[in-house]
Amino acid sequence: MKQASHSPDLTRLSRHIPRTPSIGSTTVTDEDHVHLSFGFAAPELFPLATLEQAAGEAIRTHGREALQYSGAPGPDDIVKWIEQRAHHNGLDVDSAHVLVTYGATQGLSLAAQLLLEPEDEVWTEAPTFFSALQAFRLSGAVIRAFPLEADGLNVELLEQALQEARATERPLPKLLYTMPTYHNPGGVTLSVAKRHRLIELAREYHFYVLEDDAYGELNFTGQPWPTLYSLAPERVIYLNTFSKIIAPGLRLGWMIAHPELIQRLRILMLGGSTGVFTQEIVAALLQNIDMNEHLERLRTHYRQQRDVMAAAIDRHLGDAVRYVLPEGGFFLWISFREVIDTTELQQRAFTYGVSIVDGRSFYPQRDVGHQLRLCFSYCNSEQIEKGIARLARAYTDYVAEQEAVQLNTLEYHNRV
């Protein structure tokens, strides 16, 4: 006899859980489908041989300790490596400033838990990383967004909003979230002058800055960018990750902040340590890899893929779109010159065999409909060319269909 199915009582769920779909990925298994939506690292760049060696070393050398709750030497070695890399990048930190997390996204969640209460103001860029928006929504915060320019966040508009809020006694932000270097999805980088002004505003108006530096090591030009943390360690919580420079499946990232904040963040982790066995493997890997050489390999590859995508866009879409050529990272953000519905375009492009991410996903109110994000890191050159050609065909057919609808509507009104 078939048992009756039982549905969960959804009325008992927290009201803070948003009903939003998974973004940036599909379940398509067709080998010919092109995934320009995936914000993934290139799998051919994963240091598999070194990881295999590191995993064996972790088992042979520290296996029984590494598989316990507290782990073996690996977690301490990871913190030491983060300290050294921070010093290399101009950050003055020691182990008391560092917290290892399950990727940078856990850092986002922890920072939101630490700083935000319902109805607090959190200000972001527009567009911004959709997982950050999710973290802030879950906290019950009020999200206000400010536009990106070719050189990053429009700090002038931000300053005006701060002045107006103070003058009218409206709430000031408790937190500002930014990805200043090789922005996801915008691809732009905050200028040095704007970085300094943003920090001045944070100090004057007493808000924290959550700096997401997930792509900072993927620098295509060699021009260094000062982190916001290096400018104001008392005002900035810094996030980074191994996902973009080793492999995302490791789920290891880190936070750097004032030791008093780190102590409170540890409490939010409920006393647990982050994947201690994974840390043991990564620690062994870091001892056996020339990181500067590895990073240069990544940069060369991703720079080439960016150029392939930009050339394909210029060739297939031409004057229909505009974009800022990113100087690092994974993403190219395009804006159509005419007003179109990129949600519909995303659906049409999918049927043509290419996945993209509708720009609305990166806005708090999902109210901007003529932009989309493309990722050049995951697909090879042939796939990128094929995907952009398919996107262009979907766009051309979409525009022709819309023009036909408008013409038919005009003819109908003329007749009546």
Side-chain angles (χ1 to χ4, degrees):
M1 180 178 176
K2 186 177 180 181
Q3 291 184 340
S5 61
H6 298 282
S7 299
D9 182 2
L10 300 182
T11 63
R12 309 304 294 174
L13 300 184
S14 167
R15 62 185 177 86
H16 295 300
I17 304 298
R19 294 184 179 183
T20 54
S22 177
I23 299 169
S25 61
T26 71
T27 56
V28 173
T29 57
D30 180 1
E31 292 184 359
D32 188 53
H33 192 92
V34 180
H35 298 278
L36 299 183
S37 60
F38 283 0
F40 293 177
E44 63 269 30
L45 298 179
F46 296 159
L48 294 180
T50 312
L51 272 171
E52 181 181 11
Q53 177 185 349
E57 185 178 324
I59 286 287
R60 290 190 300 270
T61 308
H62 300 292
R64 287 183 172 83
E65 294 174 86
L67 292 168
Q68 286 287 7
Y69 283 116
S70 56
D76 288 338
D77 291 342
I78 289 286
V79 170
K80 291 175 184 175
W81 184 91
I82 292 169
E83 288 179 56
Q84 293 168 1
R85 197 69 196 174
H87 295 160
H88 175 81
N89 292 323
L91 282 68
D92 183 17
V93 303
D94 59 31
S95 60
H97 295 80
V98 178
L99 178 65
V100 177
T101 60
Y102 285 102
T105 49
Q106 188 190 29
L108 276 169
S109 177
L110 290 172
Q113 292 178 64
L114 178 71
L115 295 175
L116 300 175
E117 298 176 355
E119 306 306 319
D120 279 343
E121 295 261 336
V122 55
W123 291 7
T124 72
E125 296 146 333
T128 192
F129 181 38
F130 45 70
S131 290
L133 293 175
Q134 289 284 62
F136 303 146
R137 290 185 184 115
L138 287 170
S139 72
V142 176
I143 304 172
R144 184 172 179 182
F146 296 83
L148 284 178
E149 300 178 298
D151 60 347
L153 174 68
N154 189 325
V155 176
E156 183 177 349
L157 282 183
L158 175 73
E159 182 173 5
Q160 291 175 8
L162 290 167
Q163 292 170 346
E164 291 171 3
R166 175 174 283 176
T168 57
E169 297 185 347
R170 293 203 303 266
L172 289 163
K174 185 180 283 187
L175 173 67
L176 182 136
Y177 169 73
T178 178
M179 189 176 287
T181 309
Y182 319 133
H183 190 274
N184 174 15
V188 299
T189 295
L190 191 67
S191 69
V192 173
K194 283 187 173 183
R195 289 172 192 246
H196 284 277
R197 185 58 187 145
L198 177 58
I199 290 304
E200 290 171 357
L201 293 172
R203 285 174 166 149
E204 181 180 352
Y205 290 90
H206 307 291
F207 59 84
Y208 278 100
V209 176
L210 182 58
E211 178 181 16
D212 190 339
D213 197 30
Y215 302 92
E217 294 279 14
L218 302 179
N219 182 332
F220 302 160
T221 66
Q223 177 182 353
W225 295 99
T227 63
L228 299 174
Y229 181 90
S230 69
L231 302 178
E234 83 286 0
R235 277 282 148 204
V236 179
I237 298 174
Y238 174 91
L239 307 177
N240 211 322
T241 180
F242 288 108
S243 294
K244 311 303 182 289
I245 61 174
I246 298 181
L250 296 170
R251 305 314 304 140
L252 276 185
W254 65 92
M255 306 177 77
I256 294 177
H258 191 282
E260 291 186 14
L261 297 181
I262 292 295
Q263 289 177 12
R264 286 161 175 79
L265 288 164
R266 291 187 192 281
I267 295 171
L268 293 175
M269 295 188 73
L270 304 180
S273 298
T274 301
V276 291
F277 183 62
T278 300
Q279 290 192 61
E280 198 68 40
I281 295 172
V282 173
L285 177 139
L286 293 171
Q287 292 174 4
N288 293 298
I289 194 171
D290 184 326
M291 182 55 70
N292 290 328
E293 181 180 299
H294 175 69
L295 287 172
E296 193 54 42
R297 181 176 174 231
L298 300 185
R299 292 164 183 155
T300 298
H301 177 85
Y302 292 135
R303 181 169 55 242
Q304 291 172 346
Q305 298 304 89
R306 176 206 64 181
D307 292 344
V308 167
M309 177 172 280
I313 290 172
D314 293 344
R315 184 163 52 254
H316 293 290
L317 287 164
D319 293 337
V321 301
R322 62 181 183 273
Y323 61 88
V324 174
L325 189 70
E327 296 181 346
F330 281 6
F331 303 108
L332 202 152
W333 178 252
I334 67 174
S335 300
F336 289 88
R337 294 186 183 276
E338 58 182 311
V339 178
I340 69 167
D341 187 334
T342 47
T343 303
E344 290 187 19
L345 178 61
Q346 174 181 266
Q347 295 166 353
R348 181 183 290 270
F350 186 86
T351 66
Y352 283 47
V354 57
S355 297
I356 57 177
V357 183
D358 173 18
R360 284 192 174 93
S361 302
F362 302 94
Y363 287 88
Q365 308 304 324
R366 298 181 60 85
D367 55 352
V368 178
H370 67 288
Q371 299 170 316
L372 55 87
R373 189 193 76 175
L374 302 171
C375 179
F376 52 77
S377 61
Y378 178 70
C379 295
N380 61 37
S381 297
E382 181 182 350
Q383 291 169 325
I384 290 173
E385 172 68 29
K386 184 188 297 183
I388 297 300
R390 290 175 178 177
L391 172 60
R393 190 163 72 252
Y395 169 71
T396 300
D397 291 352
Y398 167 83
V399 171
E401 182 179 289
Q402 296 303 305
E403 290 175 347
V405 169
Q406 293 173 5
L407 180 60
N408 290 337
T409 302
L410 179 61
E411 290 177 348
Y412 171 79
H413 285 298
N414 288 339
R415 286 198 302 271
V416 298

PDB file of all heavy atoms in Angstrom, residues 379-406:
ATOM      1  N   CYS A 379      34.848  28.721 -18.908  1.00  0.00           N
ATOM      2  CA  CYS A 379      34.821  28.112 -20.239  1.00  0.00           C
ATOM      3  C   CYS A 379      36.138  28.325 -20.969  1.00  0.00           C
ATOM      4  O   CYS A 379      36.858  29.293 -20.710  1.00  0.00           O
ATOM      5  CB  CYS A 379      33.678  28.710 -21.067  1.00  0.00           C
ATOM      6  SG  CYS A 379      32.032  28.347 -20.416  1.00  0.00           S
ATOM      7  N   ASN A 380      36.430  27.429 -21.925  1.00  0.00           N
ATOM      8  CA  ASN A 380      37.617  27.627 -22.743  1.00  0.00           C
ATOM      9  C   ASN A 380      37.323  28.617 -23.873  1.00  0.00           C
ATOM     10  O   ASN A 380      36.176  29.064 -24.048  1.00  0.00           O
ATOM     11  CB  ASN A 380      38.137  26.291 -23.294  1.00  0.00           C
ATOM     12  CG  ASN A 380      37.122  25.580 -24.179  1.00  0.00           C
ATOM     13  OD1 ASN A 380      36.369  26.204 -24.937  1.00  0.00           O
ATOM     14  ND2 ASN A 380      37.108  24.253 -24.105  1.00  0.00           N
ATOM     15  N   SER A 381      38.336  28.944 -24.648  1.00  0.00           N
ATOM     16  CA  SER A 381      38.198  29.986 -25.670  1.00  0.00           C
ATOM     17  C   SER A 381      37.132  29.629 -26.701  1.00  0.00           C
ATOM     18  O   SER A 381      36.325  30.479 -27.117  1.00  0.00           O
ATOM     19  CB  SER A 381      39.540  30.222 -26.358  1.00  0.00           C
ATOM     20  OG  SER A 381      40.499  30.698 -25.438  1.00  0.00           O
ATOM     21  N   GLU A 382      37.111  28.377 -27.131  1.00  0.00           N
ATOM     22  CA  GLU A 382      36.128  27.948 -28.126  1.00  0.00           C
ATOM     23  C   GLU A 382      34.713  28.075 -27.578  1.00  0.00           C
ATOM     24  O   GLU A 382      33.794  28.533 -28.280  1.00  0.00           O
ATOM     25  CB  GLU A 382      36.409  26.499 -28.522  1.00  0.00           C
ATOM     26  CG  GLU A 382      35.447  25.950 -29.571  1.00  0.00           C
ATOM     27  CD  GLU A 382      35.723  24.492 -29.903  1.00  0.00           C
ATOM     28  OE1 GLU A 382      36.768  23.965 -29.472  1.00  0.00           O
ATOM     29  OE2 GLU A 382      34.885  23.883 -30.599  1.00  0.00           O
ATOM     30  N   GLN A 383      34.519  27.687 -26.330  1.00  0.00           N
ATOM     31  CA  GLN A 383      33.196  27.790 -25.721  1.00  0.00           C
ATOM     32  C   GLN A 383      32.773  29.240 -25.556  1.00  0.00           C
ATOM     33  O   GLN A 383      31.598  29.584 -25.762  1.00  0.00           O
ATOM     34  CB  GLN A 383      33.200  27.083 -24.368  1.00  0.00           C
ATOM     35  CG  GLN A 383      33.338  25.575 -24.453  1.00  0.00           C
ATOM     36  CD  GLN A 383      33.600  24.942 -23.092  1.00  0.00           C
ATOM     37  OE1 GLN A 383      34.280  25.523 -22.236  1.00  0.00           O
ATOM     38  NE2 GLN A 383      33.060  23.750 -22.872  1.00  0.00           N
ATOM     39  N   ILE A 384      33.707  30.110 -25.171  1.00  0.00           N
ATOM     40  CA  ILE A 384      33.384  31.529 -25.027  1.00  0.00           C
ATOM     41  C   ILE A 384      32.920  32.112 -26.353  1.00  0.00           C
ATOM     42  O   ILE A 384      31.895  32.805 -26.425  1.00  0.00           O
ATOM     43  CB  ILE A 384      34.603  32.307 -24.490  1.00  0.00           C
ATOM     44  CG1 ILE A 384      34.861  31.934 -23.022  1.00  0.00           C
ATOM     45  CG2 ILE A 384      34.389  33.811 -24.621  1.00  0.00           C
ATOM     46  CD1 ILE A 384      36.137  32.526 -22.459  1.00  0.00           C
ATOM     47  N   GLU A 385      33.649  31.813 -27.426  1.00  0.00           N
ATOM     48  CA  GLU A 385      33.268  32.310 -28.755  1.00  0.00           C
ATOM     49  C   GLU A 385      31.887  31.791 -29.145  1.00  0.00           C
ATOM     50  O   GLU A 385      31.039  32.552 -29.619  1.00  0.00           O
ATOM     51  CB  GLU A 385      34.312  31.854 -29.775  1.00  0.00           C
ATOM     52  CG  GLU A 385      33.941  32.127 -31.221  1.00  0.00           C
ATOM     53  CD  GLU A 385      33.916  33.601 -31.574  1.00  0.00           C
ATOM     54  OE1 GLU A 385      34.666  34.377 -30.951  1.00  0.00           O
ATOM     55  OE2 GLU A 385      33.127  33.982 -32.481  1.00  0.00           O
ATOM     56  N   LYS A 386      31.652  30.524 -28.910  1.00  0.00           N
ATOM     57  CA  LYS A 386      30.362  29.921 -29.248  1.00  0.00           C
ATOM     58  C   LYS A 386      29.243  30.539 -28.408  1.00  0.00           C
ATOM     59  O   LYS A 386      28.155  30.849 -28.916  1.00  0.00           O
ATOM     60  CB  LYS A 386      30.426  28.408 -29.012  1.00  0.00           C
ATOM     61  CG  LYS A 386      29.175  27.636 -29.421  1.00  0.00           C
ATOM     62  CD  LYS A 386      29.260  26.179 -28.975  1.00  0.00           C
ATOM     63  CE  LYS A 386      30.405  25.457 -29.634  1.00  0.00           C
ATOM     64  NZ  LYS A 386      30.447  24.014 -29.256  1.00  0.00           N
ATOM     65  N   GLY A 387      29.512  30.724 -27.108  1.00  0.00           N
ATOM     66  CA  GLY A 387      28.488  31.269 -26.224  1.00  0.00           C
ATOM     67  C   GLY A 387      28.109  32.695 -26.573  1.00  0.00           C
ATOM     68  O   GLY A 387      26.923  33.053 -26.565  1.00  0.00           O
ATOM     69  N   ILE A 388      29.088  33.545 -26.882  1.00  0.00           N
ATOM     70  CA  ILE A 388      28.782  34.931 -27.237  1.00  0.00           C
ATOM     71  C   ILE A 388      28.032  34.991 -28.565  1.00  0.00           C
ATOM     72  O   ILE A 388      27.104  35.801 -28.743  1.00  0.00           O
ATOM     73  CB  ILE A 388      30.075  35.776 -27.297  1.00  0.00           C
ATOM     74  CG1 ILE A 388      30.739  35.828 -25.921  1.00  0.00           C
ATOM     75  CG2 ILE A 388      29.762  37.185 -27.797  1.00  0.00           C
ATOM     76  CD1 ILE A 388      29.902  36.437 -24.827  1.00  0.00           C
ATOM     77  N   ALA A 389      28.397  34.135 -29.519  1.00  0.00           N
ATOM     78  CA  ALA A 389      27.667  34.089 -30.800  1.00  0.00           C
ATOM     79  C   ALA A 389      26.207  33.701 -30.569  1.00  0.00           C
ATOM     80  O   ALA A 389      25.293  34.274 -31.187  1.00  0.00           O
ATOM     81  CB  ALA A 389      28.347  33.108 -31.745  1.00  0.00           C
ATOM     82  N   ARG A 390      25.971  32.749 -29.682  1.00  0.00           N
ATOM     83  CA  ARG A 390      24.594  32.332 -29.383  1.00  0.00           C
ATOM     84  C   ARG A 390      23.838  33.454 -28.667  1.00  0.00           C
ATOM     85  O   ARG A 390      22.649  33.682 -28.936  1.00  0.00           O
ATOM     86  CB  ARG A 390      24.613  31.070 -28.520  1.00  0.00           C
ATOM     87  CG  ARG A 390      25.076  29.836 -29.270  1.00  0.00           C
ATOM     88  CD  ARG A 390      25.195  28.629 -28.353  1.00  0.00           C
ATOM     89  NE  ARG A 390      25.603  27.441 -29.087  1.00  0.00           N
ATOM     90  CZ  ARG A 390      25.840  26.262 -28.534  1.00  0.00           C
ATOM     91  NH1 ARG A 390      25.718  26.116 -27.201  1.00  0.00           N
ATOM     92  NH2 ARG A 390      26.209  25.226 -29.262  1.00  0.00           N
ATOM     93  N   LEU A 391      24.505  34.132 -27.734  1.00  0.00           N
ATOM     94  CA  LEU A 391      23.875  35.255 -27.044  1.00  0.00           C
ATOM     95  C   LEU A 391      23.493  36.342 -28.048  1.00  0.00           C
ATOM     96  O   LEU A 391      22.395  36.916 -27.963  1.00  0.00           O
ATOM     97  CB  LEU A 391      24.832  35.818 -25.992  1.00  0.00           C
ATOM     98  CG  LEU A 391      24.402  37.111 -25.299  1.00  0.00           C
ATOM     99  CD1 LEU A 391      23.086  36.933 -24.561  1.00  0.00           C
ATOM    100  CD2 LEU A 391      25.497  37.591 -24.340  1.00  0.00           C
ATOM    101  N   ALA A 392      24.389  36.634 -28.992  1.00  0.00           N
ATOM    102  CA  ALA A 392      24.103  37.663 -29.994  1.00  0.00           C
ATOM    103  C   ALA A 392      22.914  37.267 -30.855  1.00  0.00           C
ATOM    104  O   ALA A 392      22.062  38.114 -31.186  1.00  0.00           O
ATOM    105  CB  ALA A 392      25.337  37.895 -30.867  1.00  0.00           C
ATOM    106  N   ARG A 393      22.829  35.999 -31.213  1.00  0.00           N
ATOM    107  CA  ARG A 393      21.689  35.547 -32.010  1.00  0.00           C
ATOM    108  C   ARG A 393      20.390  35.655 -31.212  1.00  0.00           C
ATOM    109  O   ARG A 393      19.348  36.088 -31.735  1.00  0.00           O
ATOM    110  CB  ARG A 393      21.913  34.103 -32.470  1.00  0.00           C
ATOM    111  CG  ARG A 393      20.889  33.641 -33.490  1.00  0.00           C
ATOM    112  CD  ARG A 393      21.337  32.388 -34.233  1.00  0.00           C
ATOM    113  NE  ARG A 393      21.304  31.198 -33.391  1.00  0.00           N
ATOM    114  CZ  ARG A 393      22.361  30.556 -32.924  1.00  0.00           C
ATOM    115  NH1 ARG A 393      23.596  31.008 -33.215  1.00  0.00           N
ATOM    116  NH2 ARG A 393      22.236  29.490 -32.182  1.00  0.00           N
ATOM    117  N   ALA A 394      20.448  35.282 -29.930  1.00  0.00           N
ATOM    118  CA  ALA A 394      19.269  35.411 -29.071  1.00  0.00           C
ATOM    119  C   ALA A 394      18.847  36.868 -28.952  1.00  0.00           C
ATOM    120  O   ALA A 394      17.652  37.199 -28.999  1.00  0.00           O
ATOM    121  CB  ALA A 394      19.568  34.829 -27.692  1.00  0.00           C
ATOM    122  N   TYR A 395      19.827  37.758 -28.807  1.00  0.00           N
ATOM    123  CA  TYR A 395      19.529  39.187 -28.699  1.00  0.00           C
ATOM    124  C   TYR A 395      18.911  39.729 -29.995  1.00  0.00           C
ATOM    125  O   TYR A 395      17.900  40.443 -29.955  1.00  0.00           O
ATOM    126  CB  TYR A 395      20.810  39.953 -28.376  1.00  0.00           C
ATOM    127  CG  TYR A 395      20.673  41.457 -28.510  1.00  0.00           C
ATOM    128  CD1 TYR A 395      19.932  42.183 -27.593  1.00  0.00           C
ATOM    129  CD2 TYR A 395      21.267  42.130 -29.575  1.00  0.00           C
ATOM    130  CE1 TYR A 395      19.788  43.558 -27.718  1.00  0.00           C
ATOM    131  CE2 TYR A 395      21.137  43.498 -29.704  1.00  0.00           C
ATOM    132  CZ  TYR A 395      20.398  44.207 -28.775  1.00  0.00           C
ATOM    133  OH  TYR A 395      20.251  45.566 -28.914  1.00  0.00           O
ATOM    134  N   THR A 396      19.486  39.377 -31.127  1.00  0.00           N
ATOM    135  CA  THR A 396      18.965  39.845 -32.414  1.00  0.00           C
ATOM    136  C   THR A 396      17.528  39.379 -32.624  1.00  0.00           C
ATOM    137  O   THR A 396      16.656  40.159 -33.037  1.00  0.00           O
ATOM    138  CB  THR A 396      19.856  39.341 -33.562  1.00  0.00           C
ATOM    139  OG1 THR A 396      21.183  39.845 -33.383  1.00  0.00           O
ATOM    140  CG2 THR A 396      19.314  39.801 -34.906  1.00  0.00           C
ATOM    141  N   ASP A 397      17.268  38.124 -32.323  1.00  0.00           N
ATOM    142  CA  ASP A 397      15.907  37.597 -32.489  1.00  0.00           C
ATOM    143  C   ASP A 397      14.948  38.231 -31.493  1.00  0.00           C
ATOM    144  O   ASP A 397      13.784  38.504 -31.818  1.00  0.00           O
ATOM    145  CB  ASP A 397      15.919  36.078 -32.319  1.00  0.00           C
ATOM    146  CG  ASP A 397      16.623  35.370 -33.464  1.00  0.00           C
ATOM    147  OD1 ASP A 397      16.967  36.046 -34.463  1.00  0.00           O
ATOM    148  OD2 ASP A 397      16.845  34.146 -33.367  1.00  0.00           O
ATOM    149  N   TYR A 398      15.434  38.475 -30.278  1.00  0.00           N
ATOM    150  CA  TYR A 398      14.593  39.128 -29.268  1.00  0.00           C
ATOM    151  C   TYR A 398      14.196  40.528 -29.724  1.00  0.00           C
ATOM    152  O   TYR A 398      13.016  40.913 -29.651  1.00  0.00           O
ATOM    153  CB  TYR A 398      15.344  39.199 -27.939  1.00  0.00           C
ATOM    154  CG  TYR A 398      14.702  40.109 -26.913  1.00  0.00           C
ATOM    155  CD1 TYR A 398      13.657  39.656 -26.111  1.00  0.00           C
ATOM    156  CD2 TYR A 398      15.125  41.429 -26.762  1.00  0.00           C
ATOM    157  CE1 TYR A 398      13.059  40.491 -25.177  1.00  0.00           C
ATOM    158  CE2 TYR A 398      14.540  42.275 -25.830  1.00  0.00           C
ATOM    159  CZ  TYR A 398      13.507  41.797 -25.045  1.00  0.00           C
ATOM    160  OH  TYR A 398      12.915  42.623 -24.140  1.00  0.00           O
ATOM    161  N   VAL A 399      15.159  41.310 -30.205  1.00  0.00           N
ATOM    162  CA  VAL A 399      14.875  42.669 -30.664  1.00  0.00           C
ATOM    163  C   VAL A 399      13.915  42.650 -31.847  1.00  0.00           C
ATOM    164  O   VAL A 399      12.960  43.451 -31.907  1.00  0.00           O
ATOM    165  CB  VAL A 399      16.185  43.394 -31.040  1.00  0.00           C
ATOM    166  CG1 VAL A 399      15.889  44.717 -31.732  1.00  0.00           C
ATOM    167  CG2 VAL A 399      17.017  43.636 -29.781  1.00  0.00           C
ATOM    168  N   ALA A 400      14.132  41.738 -32.790  1.00  0.00           N
ATOM    169  CA  ALA A 400      13.241  41.647 -33.954  1.00  0.00           C
ATOM    170  C   ALA A 400      11.826  41.311 -33.518  1.00  0.00           C
ATOM    171  O   ALA A 400      10.850  41.868 -34.052  1.00  0.00           O
ATOM    172  CB  ALA A 400      13.777  40.597 -34.925  1.00  0.00           C
ATOM    173  N   GLU A 401      11.697  40.425 -32.561  1.00  0.00           N
ATOM    174  CA  GLU A 401      10.369  40.045 -32.068  1.00  0.00           C
ATOM    175  C   GLU A 401       9.686  41.227 -31.377  1.00  0.00           C
ATOM    176  O   GLU A 401       8.491  41.469 -31.571  1.00  0.00           O
ATOM    177  CB  GLU A 401      10.505  38.868 -31.113  1.00  0.00           C
ATOM    178  CG  GLU A 401       9.183  38.348 -30.578  1.00  0.00           C
ATOM    179  CD  GLU A 401       9.394  37.169 -29.648  1.00  0.00           C
ATOM    180  OE1 GLU A 401       9.762  36.089 -30.155  1.00  0.00           O
ATOM    181  OE2 GLU A 401       9.197  37.332 -28.431  1.00  0.00           O
ATOM    182  N   GLN A 402      10.444  41.976 -30.561  1.00  0.00           N
ATOM    183  CA  GLN A 402       9.872  43.133 -29.881  1.00  0.00           C
ATOM    184  C   GLN A 402       9.444  44.215 -30.870  1.00  0.00           C
ATOM    185  O   GLN A 402       8.393  44.838 -30.705  1.00  0.00           O
ATOM    186  CB  GLN A 402      10.888  43.709 -28.880  1.00  0.00           C
ATOM    187  CG  GLN A 402      11.242  42.770 -27.733  1.00  0.00           C
ATOM    188  CD  GLN A 402      10.017  42.338 -26.945  1.00  0.00           C
ATOM    189  OE1 GLN A 402       9.256  43.172 -26.459  1.00  0.00           O
ATOM    190  NE2 GLN A 402       9.822  41.039 -26.831  1.00  0.00           N
ATOM    191  N   GLU A 403      10.261  44.416 -31.902  1.00  0.00           N
ATOM    192  CA  GLU A 403       9.897  45.401 -32.923  1.00  0.00           C
ATOM    193  C   GLU A 403       8.644  44.985 -33.666  1.00  0.00           C
ATOM    194  O   GLU A 403       7.793  45.827 -34.003  1.00  0.00           O
ATOM    195  CB  GLU A 403      11.062  45.591 -33.892  1.00  0.00           C
ATOM    196  CG  GLU A 403      12.255  46.315 -33.266  1.00  0.00           C
ATOM    197  CD  GLU A 403      13.442  46.391 -34.209  1.00  0.00           C
ATOM    198  OE1 GLU A 403      13.435  45.679 -35.240  1.00  0.00           O
ATOM    199  OE2 GLU A 403      14.398  47.142 -33.901  1.00  0.00           O
ATOM    200  N   ALA A 404       8.493  43.696 -33.934  1.00  0.00           N
ATOM    201  CA  ALA A 404       7.298  43.198 -34.612  1.00  0.00           C
ATOM    202  C   ALA A 404       6.061  43.406 -33.747  1.00  0.00           C
ATOM    203  O   ALA A 404       4.994  43.797 -34.247  1.00  0.00           O
ATOM    204  CB  ALA A 404       7.468  41.722 -34.956  1.00  0.00           C
ATOM    205  N   VAL A 405       6.202  43.163 -32.450  1.00  0.00           N
ATOM    206  CA  VAL A 405       5.077  43.371 -31.527  1.00  0.00           C
ATOM    207  C   VAL A 405       4.675  44.843 -31.503  1.00  0.00           C
ATOM    208  O   VAL A 405       3.487  45.179 -31.563  1.00  0.00           O
ATOM    209  CB  VAL A 405       5.456  42.890 -30.109  1.00  0.00           C
ATOM    210  CG1 VAL A 405       4.397  43.338 -29.090  1.00  0.00           C
ATOM    211  CG2 VAL A 405       5.611  41.380 -30.083  1.00  0.00           C
ATOM    212  N   GLN A 406       5.672  45.728 -31.426  1.00  0.00           N
ATOM    213  CA  GLN A 406       5.386  47.158 -31.415  1.00  0.00           C
ATOM    214  C   GLN A 406       4.715  47.605 -32.713  1.00  0.00           C
ATOM    215  O   GLN A 406       3.783  48.419 -32.699  1.00  0.00           O
ATOM    216  CB  GLN A 406       6.678  47.941 -31.188  1.00  0.00           C
ATOM    217  CG  GLN A 406       7.280  47.740 -29.807  1.00  0.00           C
ATOM    218  CD  GLN A 406       8.638  48.397 -29.661  1.00  0.00           C
ATOM    219  OE1 GLN A 406       9.101  49.080 -30.572  1.00  0.00           O
ATOM    220  NE2 GLN A 406       9.287  48.185 -28.525  1.00  0.00           N
TER     221      GLN A 406
END
